Coordinates of all heavy atoms in Angstrom, one line a residue:
G78 N -80.6 103.1 57.9 CA -79.8 104.2 58.4 C -80.6 105.1 59.4 O -80.1 105.5 60.4
E79 N -81.9 105.3 59.1 CA -82.7 106.1 60.0 C -82.9 105.4 61.3 O -82.8 106.0 62.4 CB -84.1 106.4 59.3 CG -85.0 107.2 60.2 CD -86.4 107.4 59.5 OE1 -86.4 107.7 58.3 OE2 -87.4 107.2 60.2
A80 N -83.1 104.1 61.2 CA -83.3 103.3 62.5 C -82.0 103.3 63.3 O -82.0 103.5 64.5 CB -83.6 101.8 62.1
R81 N -80.8 103.2 62.6 CA -79.5 103.3 63.3 C -79.4 104.7 64.0 O -79.0 104.7 65.2 CB -78.4 103.1 62.3 CG -77.0 103.0 63.0 CD -75.9 103.1 61.9 NE -76.0 104.3 61.2 CZ -76.1 104.4 59.9 NH1 -76.2 103.4 59.1 NH2 -76.2 105.6 59.3
E82 N -79.7 105.7 63.3 CA -79.5 107.1 63.9 C -80.5 107.3 65.0 O -80.1 107.9 66.1 CB -79.8 108.1 62.8 CG -78.7 108.3 61.8 CD -79.0 109.2 60.7 OE1 -79.8 110.1 60.9 OE2 -78.4 109.1 59.6
T83 N -81.7 106.8 64.9 CA -82.7 106.9 66.0 C -82.2 106.1 67.2 O -82.3 106.6 68.4 CB -84.1 106.3 65.6 OG1 -84.5 107.1 64.4 CG2 -85.1 106.4 66.7
W84 N -81.6 104.9 67.0 CA -81.1 104.1 68.1 C -79.9 104.8 68.8 O -79.9 104.9 70.0 CB -80.7 102.8 67.6 CG -80.1 101.9 68.7 CD1 -80.7 101.3 69.7 CD2 -78.7 101.8 68.9 NE1 -79.8 100.7 70.5 CE2 -78.5 100.9 70.0 CE3 -77.5 102.2 68.2 CZ2 -77.3 100.6 70.5 CZ3 -76.3 101.8 68.7 CH2 -76.2 101.0 69.8
L85 N -79.0 105.4 68.0 CA -77.8 106.1 68.6 C -78.3 107.3 69.3 O -77.7 107.6 70.4 CB -76.8 106.4 67.5 CG -76.0 105.3 66.9 CD1 -75.2 105.8 65.7 CD2 -75.1 104.7 67.9
T86 N -79.2 108.1 68.8 CA -79.7 109.3 69.5 C -80.3 108.9 70.8 O -80.1 109.5 71.9 CB -80.7 110.0 68.6 OG1 -80.0 110.4 67.4 CG2 -81.2 111.2 69.3
G87 N -81.1 107.8 70.8 CA -81.8 107.4 72.0 C -80.7 106.9 73.1 O -80.9 107.2 74.3
A88 N -79.7 106.2 72.6 CA -78.7 105.7 73.5 C -77.9 106.9 74.1 O -77.6 106.9 75.3 CB -77.7 104.8 72.8
E89 N -77.6 107.9 73.3 CA -76.9 109.1 73.8 C -77.8 109.9 74.8 O -77.3 110.3 75.9 CB -76.5 110.0 72.7 CG -75.4 109.5 71.8 CD -75.1 110.3 70.6 OE1 -75.9 111.2 70.3 OE2 -74.2 109.9 69.8
E90 N -79.1 110.0 74.5 CA -80.0 110.7 75.4 C -80.1 109.9 76.7 O -80.2 110.5 77.8 CB -81.3 110.9 74.8 CG -81.3 111.9 73.7 CD -82.6 112.0 72.9 OE1 -83.5 111.2 73.1 OE2 -82.7 112.9 72.0
A91 N -80.2 108.6 76.7 CA -80.2 107.8 77.9 C -79.0 108.0 78.7 O -79.0 108.1 80.0 CB -80.4 106.3 77.6
E92 N -77.8 108.0 78.1 CA -76.6 108.3 78.8 C -76.5 109.6 79.4 O -76.1 109.8 80.6 CB -75.4 108.1 77.8 CG -74.0 108.2 78.4 CD -72.9 108.1 77.4 OE1 -73.0 107.1 76.6 OE2 -72.0 108.9 77.4
D93 N -77.0 110.6 78.7 CA -77.1 112.0 79.3 C -78.0 112.1 80.5 O -77.7 112.7 81.5 CB -77.6 113.0 78.2 CG -76.6 113.3 77.1 OD1 -75.4 112.9 77.3 OD2 -76.9 113.8 76.1
R94 N -79.2 111.4 80.4 CA -80.1 111.3 81.5 C -79.5 110.7 82.7 O -79.6 111.2 83.9 CB -81.4 110.6 81.1 CG -82.4 111.5 80.4 CD -83.8 110.8 80.3 NE -83.7 109.5 79.6 CZ -83.7 109.3 78.3 NH1 -83.8 110.3 77.5 NH2 -83.7 108.1 77.8
A95 N -78.8 109.6 82.5 CA -78.1 108.9 83.6 C -77.1 109.8 84.2 O -77.0 109.8 85.5 CB -77.5 107.6 83.1
S96 N -76.3 110.5 83.4 CA -75.3 111.4 83.9 C -75.9 112.5 84.8 O -75.4 112.9 85.8 CB -74.5 111.9 82.8 OG -73.5 112.8 83.2
A97 N -77.0 113.1 84.2 CA -77.7 114.2 85.0 C -78.3 113.7 86.3 O -78.2 114.3 87.3 CB -78.8 114.7 84.1
E98 N -78.8 112.5 86.3 CA -79.4 111.9 87.5 C -78.3 111.6 88.5 O -78.5 111.9 89.7 CB -80.2 110.6 87.2 CG -81.5 110.8 86.5 CD -82.1 109.6 85.9 OE1 -81.6 108.5 86.2 OE2 -83.2 109.7 85.2
A99 N -77.2 111.2 88.1 CA -76.0 110.9 89.0 C -75.5 112.3 89.6 O -75.2 112.4 90.8 CB -74.9 110.2 88.3
A100 N -75.5 113.3 88.7 CA -75.0 114.6 89.2 C -76.0 115.2 90.2 O -75.6 115.7 91.2 CB -74.9 115.6 88.0
L101 N -77.3 115.0 90.0 CA -78.3 115.5 90.9 C -78.3 114.7 92.2 O -78.4 115.3 93.3 CB -79.7 115.3 90.3 CG -80.9 115.9 91.1 CD1 -80.7 117.4 91.4 CD2 -82.2 115.7 90.3
A102 N -78.0 113.4 92.2 CA -77.9 112.6 93.4 C -76.7 113.1 94.2 O -76.8 113.2 95.4 CB -77.8 111.1 93.0
E103 N -75.6 113.4 93.5 CA -74.4 113.9 94.2 C -74.7 115.2 94.8 O -74.3 115.5 95.9 CB -73.2 114.0 93.2 CG -72.0 114.5 93.8 CD -70.9 114.7 92.8 OE1 -70.9 114.1 91.7 OE2 -69.9 115.4 93.1
Y104 N -75.4 116.1 94.1 CA -75.7 117.4 94.6 C -76.6 117.3 95.9 O -76.3 117.9 96.9 CB -76.5 118.2 93.5 CG -77.2 119.4 94.0 CD1 -76.6 120.6 94.2 CD2 -78.6 119.4 94.3 CE1 -77.2 121.7 94.6 CE2 -79.2 120.5 94.8 CZ -78.5 121.7 94.9 OH -79.2 122.8 95.4
R105 N -77.6 116.4 95.8 CA -78.4 116.2 97.0 C -77.6 115.6 98.2 O -77.8 115.9 99.3 CB -79.6 115.3 96.6 CG -80.6 116.0 95.8 CD -81.8 115.2 95.4 NE -82.8 115.9 94.6 CZ -83.5 115.4 93.7 NH1 -83.3 114.1 93.3 NH2 -84.3 116.1 93.0
R106 N -76.8 114.6 97.9 CA -76.0 113.9 98.9 C -75.0 114.9 99.6 O -74.8 114.9 100.8 CB -75.3 112.7 98.3 CG -74.5 111.9 99.3 CD -73.6 110.9 98.6 NE -72.5 111.6 97.9 CZ -72.2 111.4 96.6 NH1 -72.8 110.5 95.9 NH2 -71.2 112.0 96.0
D107 N -74.3 115.7 98.8 CA -73.3 116.5 99.3 C -73.7 117.9 99.7 O -72.9 118.8 100.1 CB -72.1 116.7 98.3 CG -71.5 115.3 98.0 OD1 -71.7 114.4 98.8 OD2 -70.8 115.2 97.0
G108 N -75.0 118.2 99.6 CA -75.6 119.5 100.0 C -75.1 120.6 99.1 O -74.5 121.7 99.6
G109 N -75.2 120.5 97.8 CA -74.7 121.4 96.9 C -75.4 122.8 97.0 O -76.4 123.0 97.7
E110 N -74.9 123.8 96.2 CA -75.4 125.1 96.2 C -76.3 125.3 95.0 O -76.0 124.9 93.9 CB -74.2 126.1 96.2 CG -74.6 127.5 96.3 CD -73.4 128.5 96.3 OE1 -72.3 128.0 96.3 OE2 -73.7 129.7 96.4
A111 N -77.4 126.0 95.2 CA -78.3 126.3 94.1 C -77.6 127.1 93.0 O -76.8 128.0 93.4 CB -79.6 126.9 94.6
A112 N -77.9 126.9 91.8 CA -77.3 127.6 90.7 C -77.5 129.1 90.8 O -76.5 129.9 90.6 CB -77.9 127.2 89.3
E113 N -78.6 129.6 91.2 CA -78.9 131.0 91.3 C -78.0 131.6 92.4 O -77.4 132.7 92.2 CB -80.3 131.2 91.7 CG -80.7 132.7 91.8 CD -82.2 132.9 92.1 OE1 -83.0 132.3 91.4 OE2 -82.5 133.6 93.1
S114 N -77.8 131.0 93.5 CA -76.9 131.4 94.5 C -75.5 131.4 94.1 O -74.7 132.4 94.3 CB -77.1 130.6 95.8 OG -76.1 130.9 96.8
F115 N -75.0 130.4 93.5 CA -73.7 130.2 93.0 C -73.3 131.3 92.0 O -72.3 132.0 92.0 CB -73.4 128.8 92.4 CG -72.1 128.7 91.8 CD1 -71.0 128.6 92.6 CD2 -71.9 128.6 90.4 CE1 -69.7 128.4 92.0 CE2 -70.7 128.4 89.8 CZ -69.6 128.3 90.6
L116 N -74.2 131.5 91.0 CA -74.0 132.5 89.9 C -74.0 133.9 90.5 O -73.3 134.8 90.1 CB -75.0 132.3 88.8 CG -74.9 131.0 88.0 CD1 -76.0 130.9 87.0 CD2 -73.5 130.9 87.3
G117 N -74.9 134.1 91.5 CA -74.9 135.4 92.2 C -73.6 135.7 92.9 O -73.1 136.9 92.8
S118 N -73.0 134.7 93.6 CA -71.7 134.9 94.2 C -70.6 135.2 93.2 O -69.7 136.0 93.4 CB -71.4 133.8 95.1 OG -71.2 132.6 94.4
L119 N -70.7 134.5 92.1 CA -69.7 134.8 91.0 C -69.8 136.2 90.5 O -68.8 136.8 90.2 CB -69.9 133.8 89.8 CG -69.3 132.4 90.0 CD1 -69.6 131.5 88.8 CD2 -67.8 132.4 90.3
A120 N -71.0 136.6 90.3 CA -71.2 138.0 89.8 C -70.7 139.0 90.8 O -70.0 140.0 90.4 CB -72.7 138.2 89.5
A121 N -71.0 138.8 92.1 CA -70.5 139.7 93.1 C -68.9 139.7 93.1 O -68.3 140.8 93.2 CB -71.0 139.3 94.5
E122 N -68.3 138.5 93.0 CA -66.9 138.4 93.0 C -66.3 139.1 91.8 O -65.3 139.8 91.9 CB -66.5 137.0 93.0 CG -65.0 136.7 93.1 CD -64.7 135.2 93.1 OE1 -65.3 134.5 93.8 OE2 -63.8 134.9 92.3
T123 N -66.9 139.0 90.6 CA -66.4 139.6 89.4 C -66.5 141.1 89.5 O -65.6 141.8 89.2 CB -67.2 139.1 88.2 OG1 -67.1 137.7 88.1 CG2 -66.8 139.7 86.9
K124 N -67.7 141.6 90.1 CA -67.8 143.0 90.2 C -66.8 143.6 91.2 O -66.2 144.6 90.9 CB -69.2 143.3 90.7 CG -69.5 144.8 90.8 CD -71.0 145.1 91.2 CE -71.1 146.6 91.3 NZ -72.5 147.0 91.6

């Protein structure tokens, strides 16, 4: 049971890493906006 849980956790973490890497590649490819800048503009808009 412990081995199964360790394997499943590792598989989920690998999937999360792959998803994060794909998102970062998309951000770099499409010239995304830095989080700090984006959140700052949201704060200004909200205010």
Side-chain angles (χ1 to χ4, degrees):
E79 181 182 314
R81 182 192 64 237
E82 288 176 24
T83 300
W84 176 79
L85 285 173
T86 299
E89 289 172 356
E90 289 173 355
E92 184 179 315
D93 290 346
R94 277 191 302 277
S96 178
E98 288 170 4
L101 185 56
E103 179 182 341
Y104 167 82
R105 289 180 176 144
R106 182 189 68 230
D107 296 345
E110 184 177 359
E113 184 177 305
S114 173
F115 175 72
L116 294 175
S118 65
L119 282 180
E122 182 180 315
T123 301
K124 184 175 181 180

